[in-house]
Amino acid sequence: MPVSDAGGWLRPSDPERRAGATPRVVLFALLAGLLTAWLLYDGMGANLLICGAATAVGAGFAARAASRRIRPWTAAWSLLALALLAVPTLWDAGRPTLLAVACALGLASLALHGGRRWAGVLFALPGLLWHLVPATGWAWTSMEGRSPVERDRIVPVLKALAVAAVLLTVFGLLFAGADAGMADLLDGLTPHLDLDQLPARGLLFALGTFTALGFAHIAAGPRRWDRTVIRPGRERRRLEWALPLVALDLMFGVFAVIQAAVVLGGADAVLSNTGMSRSAYARQGFWQLSVITALTLVVVAVAKCWAPRSTAADRRVARILLGLLCVLALTVVASALGRMWFYVDASGLTSLRLGVLVAEIWLGVVFLLLITAGLTGRTGWLPRVVVLSGVLTVAVYGLMGPDAIVARQNVDRYEQSLRTDPHTATIDLRNVRLLSADAVPALDRLPEPQRSCALQLIGRDLAGESKPWYATGASVARAREILAERPPVDSALIGRRSCDRVGPGFGVR
């Protein structure tokens, strides 16, 4: 039911009704827990998709019991969540994987909650957290409330699964002892269980089960965050509200004029007007401009909340001043991107620089969406499209292989410098030595000793215990093949100090 204003500014409505947990929902939650404990202990890869599929099936059964229908946005969020979970199946880098998994969980929650307004979309993203604890009691109460005949349906299934597990274990051991090929296959498919692993696997089982029950709890009766009452800010007088924005617009305008004179003039203009190199000029201002871009979004949101709106003239002034600020903010985005281009051209690409560059591009897209909403006068589509743009950015960032791109750009720069001036060509190996296995194909193109210096740490990590196929990305298999054919030279023969920054003469530069 709708929420009254007396309950405070942040209070979502409860669902009209919540369907009970069916035996199928409970079974798939337990299956998700078992798969999580079995597969996720060794790492992340295709196992995330497997566990996610079991969780999705359980949530689907809960939604069906509640007579809920699949809507277009629900399908879109669900497909994007699966795309995000595919990132660790392709690449090995940890930061993009964790970001993709976090976004996938948020999208799955949004898909089940639904939501159109800002409150409905933003509060639905972490909405799973509000369902984890109630979901357990919901499942237990639902099972207790069912008839003995319905409860008895679960016991035969559990018995069948237990018998199947015993049979597969016994005959698997016998087949493995009879044939080496079968032993290798089963060794890659099954985890190695030790007693000291039981506590960690128990925690993983609980995590998988509670997460699956949480999503099923949402599907059975989501909280209607769209009905959250958020009172608008107190309307300000036109002068009180507009004067700070006019001053800020003027400052942004002055900055835009300076950028047109300095940046558009090229490297010579940068040197003559600032007395700095392109690299120093970019390094000095990029991070500040990135902060300015983010703060501008906060200013726009707060100003919109307090904007005068009593008359058509007030609304027109608010639209003009906020629209102008968004347009001028695009010049800040363009300047930040230009400075990063100078920075990368002079010093090379790193994982941090690439990540911030992608984030800056997304902020520019958000400003374009705000400008479009202001010009059309329609904002109902804005919350979901802004989230969609952010999720697509994370998906593209993860699926394109950031570490592979960073390694490829640095190797390309080094090869170009070798062709231009072989005696001064260097590569800053500190930028590439700490990359993941995704970087191995590009780093393998380096000559010795640069190649061995770049691959030392990666080769050491991959030389450890081999993980099963479901717990690693495809890039790890490629890296292992490359390093098996051409192992890096032993670090003792190269020297730690020489590997910091070496050129063709194998000297520290």
Side-chain angles (χ1 to χ4, degrees):
M1 294 185 296
V3 180
S4 64
D5 291 343
W9 71 274
L10 179 58
R11 178 185 164 195
S13 65
D14 293 326
E16 286 79 2
R17 72 180 189 89
R18 172 170 282 117
T22 64
R24 289 181 178 179
V25 171
V26 176
L27 283 176
F28 272 94
L30 294 174
L31 177 61
L34 289 172
L35 289 174
T36 303
W38 178 29
L39 301 177
L40 284 183
Y41 181 85
D42 296 306
M44 288 188 292
N47 46 19
L48 282 176
L49 279 173
I50 298 173
C51 297
T55 301
V57 172
F61 282 127
R64 183 179 179 182
S67 300
R68 297 187 63 190
R69 295 178 298 171
I70 297 179
R71 302 182 182 275
W73 277 102
T74 301
W77 298 136
S78 302
L79 291 175
L80 279 174
L82 291 176
L84 289 168
L85 290 181
V87 170
T89 68
L90 301 176
W91 304 104
D92 182 54
R95 188 185 309 169
T97 294
L98 293 178
L99 182 61
V101 171
C103 288
L105 290 173
L107 272 190
S109 177
L110 177 58
L112 295 174
H113 275 103
R116 298 183 179 185
R117 298 172 55 233
W118 282 111
V121 171
L122 295 182
F123 287 125
L125 289 172
L128 174 64
L129 301 177
W130 284 273
H131 291 264
L132 291 176
V133 175
T136 306
W138 165 72
W140 183 267
T141 303
S142 298
M143 289 297 99
E144 280 189 333
R146 292 188 173 273
S147 64
V149 176
E150 290 179 314
R151 290 200 302 267
D152 290 342
R153 293 178 182 175
I154 302 179
V155 177
V157 176
L158 295 177
K159 288 182 179 178
L161 291 175
V163 172
V166 172
L167 290 176
L168 289 176
T169 301
V170 173
F171 283 92
L173 292 174
L174 292 174
F175 277 120
D179 184 81
M182 191 69 176
D184 291 337
L185 176 63
L186 293 176
D187 186 66
L189 291 176
T190 58
H192 299 281
L193 296 177
D194 296 325
L195 290 179
D196 57 351
Q197 298 178 1
L198 291 180
R201 290 188 184 272
L203 290 176
L204 287 174
F205 172 78
L207 176 64
T209 303
F210 291 155
T211 301
L213 285 177
F215 280 123
H217 191 254
I218 299 173
R223 305 191 74 172
R224 301 300 180 182
W225 294 103
D226 264 346
R227 300 175 184 175
T228 302
V229 174
I230 300 181
R231 296 189 179 93
R234 183 172 63 87
E235 184 178 351
R236 306 291 175 172
R237 295 181 179 179
R238 187 184 300 180
L239 179 63
E240 179 185 0
W241 177 88
L243 183 59
L245 274 185
V246 170
L248 191 60
D249 284 342
L250 288 175
M251 176 173 287
F252 273 64
V254 171
F255 176 80
V257 172
I258 294 175
Q259 295 309 292
V262 176
V263 176
L264 297 181
D268 294 337
V270 171
L271 293 173
S272 61
N273 288 283
T274 65
M276 294 185 291
S277 65
R278 290 193 304 172
S279 177
Y281 183 74
R283 184 168 57 250
Q284 179 199 44
F286 173 77
W287 299 107
Q288 292 89 331
L289 293 179
S290 298
V291 173
I292 289 173
T293 306
L295 286 179
T296 305
L297 284 177
V298 177
V299 171
V300 171
V302 173
K304 183 72 171 72
C305 181
W306 289 342
R309 49 190 175 271
S310 299
T311 65
D314 286 337
R315 292 190 292 272
R316 189 181 310 112
V317 169
R319 190 161 51 247
I320 291 174
L321 290 180
L322 290 177
L324 180 60
L325 182 60
C326 290
V327 171
L328 292 173
L330 288 177
T331 65
V332 177
V333 173
S335 178
L337 294 177
R339 293 183 187 223
M340 179 55 76
W341 176 262
F342 289 159
Y343 199 4
V344 170
D345 184 61
S347 304
L349 190 63
T350 65
S351 297
L352 178 60
R353 294 168 194 169
L354 179 59
V356 176
L357 182 63
V358 171
E360 189 72 25
I361 293 174
W362 175 68
L363 290 176
V365 171
V366 172
F367 280 113
L368 287 175
L369 294 175
L370 292 176
I371 294 170
T372 303
L375 292 176
T376 60
R378 298 179 178 180
T379 59
W381 54 270
L382 189 60
R384 288 188 291 192
V385 174
V386 168
V387 173
L388 177 63
S389 66
V391 172
L392 287 175
T393 301
V394 173
V396 171
Y397 173 68
L399 292 173
M400 70 183 182
D403 282 10
I405 293 176
V406 170
R408 193 181 307 121
Q409 193 269 350
N410 280 274
V411 173
D412 289 343
R413 289 180 72 251
Y414 179 65
E415 291 176 343
Q416 179 63 32
S417 62
L418 280 178
R419 290 190 292 268
T420 304
D421 189 355
H423 298 288
T424 60
T426 59
I427 178 173
D428 192 350
L429 295 176
R430 289 169 295 185
N431 287 346
V432 297
R433 294 185 70 199
L434 298 179
L435 297 176
S436 65
D438 305 337
V440 170
L443 299 180
D444 185 56
R445 292 159 39 195
L446 291 171
E448 293 292 355
Q450 289 88 342
R451 177 185 178 276
S452 292
C453 285
L455 295 176
Q456 275 181 7
L457 299 180
I458 301 175
R460 191 179 307 160
D461 292 338
L462 295 180
E465 183 180 358
S466 178
K467 295 181 180 180
W469 64 273
Y470 52 77
T472 56
S475 64
V476 174
R478 293 194 298 268
R480 289 186 183 278
E481 292 177 0
I482 293 173
L483 296 179
E485 293 177 1
R486 297 178 57 199
V489 178
D490 187 80
S491 58
L493 302 178
I494 298 176
R496 180 181 301 174
R497 187 166 179 266
S498 298
C499 282
D500 286 339
R501 190 177 179 88
V502 295
F506 192 44
V508 179
R509 295 177 184 270

